[in-house]
Amino acid sequence: MDTVTSLKNTKFFASQERVALRNCGIINPELIDEYIARDGYQALGKVLTTMSPEEVIDTVKRSGLRGRGGGGFPTGTKWEFASKSVNDVKYVCCNADEGDPGAFMDRSVLEGDPHAVIEAMTIAGYAIGAHQGYIYVRAEYPIAIKRLEIAIKQARDYGLLGKNIFESGFDFELELRLGSGAFVCGEETALMTSIEGNRGEPRPRPPFPAVKGLFGKPTILNNVETYANITTIILKGAEWFASMGTERSKGTKVFCVVGKIKNTGLVEIPMGTTLRDVIEEIGGGIPNGKKFKAAQTGGPSGGCIPASLIDTKIDYDNLISIGAMMGSGGLIVMDEDTCMVDIAKFFLDFTVDESCGKCTPCRIGTKRLLQMLEKITSGNATLEDLDKMEELCYYIKANSLCALGQTAPNPVLSTMRYFRDEYIAHVVDKKCPAGVCKKLLKYEVDEDHCKGCTACARVCPVNAISGEVKATHIIDQDKCIKCGACMDTCKFNAIEKK
Amino acid sequence: MKSLEELSALKAEALKKSNLGPDAATTRVVVGMATCGISAGATPVYEELIKQVAQKSPNIMVSQTGCIGICCMEPIVEVHEPGKEKVTYVFMTPEKVTKIVDQHLINNQVVEEYTIGAAQ
């Protein structure tokens, strides 16, 4: 068989559909001419010279595009609200404060095709009647920032930003604002508060940003990937975009496939592709012959999809109905060696760190939730604790001020829904079935296999193993720190993890 | 920018300059230089490629680009020859560049052992 020499002909690429990523990995992102060579700024030209703002909004509405940051709110409807808010000053914002663990979609778009976002934001400005835009990008993305700065300058030099663009009388300016790494600043009201120069904390809604947003003016805020779809929708038409996807989720979605998977990377698939296709075909399956256990979507706000639901078609509504969510596009694949209680603990640890502290349910609730999970993973919990924990989850969801708190219990609820047996094993049997939670682990020497070679005793960092040469060795459980060094060293598979 | 005509003229010129269109004049070689590529070591590969192409075949175009997609096989170099399917080289190192320049870019023979198919 001939060797496959092009990425295009691999299974990884074959079922992908590149809309938001159409220029990523093709053009030089630091040259505006290469963007223009690939039909760049044609959509802006078409909008400013031939379309009314109402027609633009109508096109976006008909395309069925929904917010790619994870919420899934219809983009055209959002623009329509802002366009109908009467005010002489309005703003267009872009949310590039990507913070979910394992997610890098926005970074890849900004690093690979920054002009796509600039052009789309200008179109959005025209549609709602705004003349100023802000891109809120996290400071941890230095390459994305550098390429955005270059792109904005080039667009200005070409007169594609600034005064009287395409001699239409429409003016638009764009500035960057750097976030300093607070996860909560990805929440829309906190993001705007941060742009205003204040501490990034959310505020209650309503009023919604479309009525009263940045600096108290009507504002739209969309995610990087949402903007990256706009120009193609304008050029190829709403019908073309709506022909891809499922009934209520149109177009494509970019995912970062990471974790226990062969082909880690950035993929863009039509909505409605099954999780099985993403993992087995595009992702190439699980390495080392392990079994697929679950996939986590939506980061700390999302939930997990267990192996039994691998044929789920990925779209906004299907994922919500099984207790997960689309999220911004992080897809963390887990195999049989992953402990689901430990995963829930990992995400809670993250939200406890990132809770801004403004409202009590989130600040104290997530901390208490984490403590309960720690109690479970150290083998001290009772079944009653599980019920209490569930109750606390619903309390935090119902009472938190912003989406960070409202969604923080999701990883716990969704793992409890699909992997309750694992929770019970931790609580009742004091065992971690995946062998991850250290406090529940025990290393023991198998008498039948031990040859008394002393290799384990020599490698143990805390001298917990004793025994004569050629006699069965013993591990002192009080001293053992469960590092696993003995198990890795033993040539006779005589050490068992229980 | 004043009109769509001006933009179209610019596009025609840009297509020529970038060798991105179907009737590109010369081979375009790109290196994935997003965070994923750079962290895997794309910068020395890119520099070596520029140096060797300038010495041996200066009419070939070398450019940086964004994330090509399959991050786990970075650094990636892709060769786009006019009228041919592109060739994807993965797990690139500066040492591998010499063979790709000599054998593929100059003598038109794909270095199969470095391609994505050989890595899978």
Side-chain angles (χ1 to χ4, degrees), chain A residues 267-425:
Chain A
V267 309
E268 182 168 358
I269 47 165
M271 294 275 189
T273 306
T274 63
L275 183 63
R276 186 188 292 280
D277 281 346
V278 176
I279 290 171
E280 292 178 1
E281 296 296 316
I282 298 173
I286 317 291
N288 306 323
K290 300 275 182 183
K291 271 209 304 254
F292 169 65
K293 184 172 188 177
Q296 155 86 23
T297 62
S301 310
C304 62
I305 309 169
S308 58
L309 295 173
I310 193 170
D311 288 311
T312 305
K313 288 186 170 168
I314 298 174
D315 75 3
Y316 289 100
D317 309 296
N318 280 345
L319 290 189
I320 293 283
S321 72
I322 59 171
M325 70 181 272
M326 181 71 89
S328 60
L331 188 88
I332 303 172
V333 182
M334 295 173 278
D335 69 5
E336 54 194 301
D337 289 342
T338 313
C339 167
M340 301 313 284
V341 186
D342 188 60
I343 284 292
K345 201 174 81 178
F346 168 81
F347 282 114
L348 250 295
D349 194 45
F350 181 87
T351 27
V352 167
D353 268 354
E354 295 295 346
S355 171
C356 77
K358 186 172 178 176
C359 75
T360 318
C362 176
R363 182 183 69 240
I364 297 174
T366 54
K367 178 82 186 163
R368 289 281 174 262
L369 201 51
L370 178 63
Q371 285 170 343
M372 286 174 167
L373 287 167
E374 279 164 354
K375 201 172 165 190
I376 296 172
T377 55
S378 56
N380 299 321
T382 60
L383 285 175
E384 204 191 351
D385 286 324
L386 287 186
D387 297 335
K388 261 195 206 161
M389 195 166 80
E390 215 166 346
E391 195 188 330
L392 178 60
C393 284
Y394 289 114
Y395 178 83
I396 297 171
K397 276 176 87 73
N399 295 292
S400 292
L401 174 61
C402 81
L404 194 157
Q406 286 157 13
T407 59
N410 285 356
V412 180
L413 286 171
S414 116
T415 47
M416 286 226 324
R417 176 168 167 185
Y418 294 113
F419 297 96
R420 205 179 177 90
D421 53 329
E422 267 187 52
Y423 277 88
I424 290 173

Side-chain angles (χ1 to χ4, degrees), chain A residues 160-173:
Chain A
L160 291 161
L161 278 176
K163 299 253 179 254
N164 200 15
I165 307 167
F166 283 102
E167 300 215 305
S168 60
F170 175 69
D171 309 334
F172 194 74
E173 258 312 327

Side-chain angles (χ1 to χ4, degrees), chain A residues 85-267:
Chain A
S85 294
V86 183
N87 207 306
D88 51 345
V89 180
K90 294 180 188 179
Y91 294 106
V92 172
C93 293
C94 172
N95 188 345
D97 190 53
E98 185 173 51
D100 289 359
F104 48 89
M105 302 75 49
D106 298 350
R107 189 189 72 200
S108 301
V109 171
L110 293 176
E111 287 178 352
D113 195 12
H115 285 285
V117 175
I118 295 172
E119 183 183 0
M121 286 180 75
T122 315
I123 292 170
Y126 176 73
I128 69 159
H131 302 288
Q132 176 69 48
Y134 292 98
I135 302 178
Y136 190 87
V137 55
R138 57 190 304 205
E140 293 96 324
Y141 284 177
I143 301 169
I145 293 166
K146 183 186 134 208
R147 291 187 180 157
L148 271 173
E149 281 169 347
I150 293 171
I152 290 174
K153 183 175 178 301
Q154 289 172 339
R156 255 186 222 137
D157 290 346
Y158 272 33
L160 291 161
L161 278 176
K163 299 253 179 254
N164 200 15
I165 307 167
F166 283 102
E167 300 215 305
S168 60
F170 175 69
D171 309 334
F172 194 74
E173 258 312 327
L174 201 54
E175 280 177 45
L176 292 187
R177 285 289 179 273
L178 306 191
S180 307
F183 181 65
V184 73
C185 287
E187 194 279 337
E188 61 176 7
T189 60
L191 185 148
M192 289 174 195
T193 313
S194 177
I195 294 181
E196 288 164 4
N198 300 314
R199 181 187 167 116
E201 283 181 339
R203 58 163 180 76
R205 296 175 304 179
F208 285 94
V211 180
K212 211 175 166 198
L214 187 61
F215 301 111
K217 305 291 183 188
T219 305
I220 53 164
L221 174 69
N222 287 122
N223 170 265
V224 171
E225 191 191 332
T226 314
Y227 283 125
N229 280 298
I230 296 290
T231 55
T232 319
I233 292 172
I234 300 284
L235 285 180
K236 292 196 177 178
E239 291 67 30
W240 167 81
F241 190 81
S243 70
M244 289 182 290
T246 60
E247 198 192 335
R248 297 191 56 221
S249 304
K250 301 298 185 189
T252 59
K253 177 80 193 84
V254 180
F255 282 99
C256 292
V257 184
V258 297
K260 304 284 180 66
I261 187 110
K262 273 189 192 139
N263 300 333
T264 311
L266 187 70
V267 309

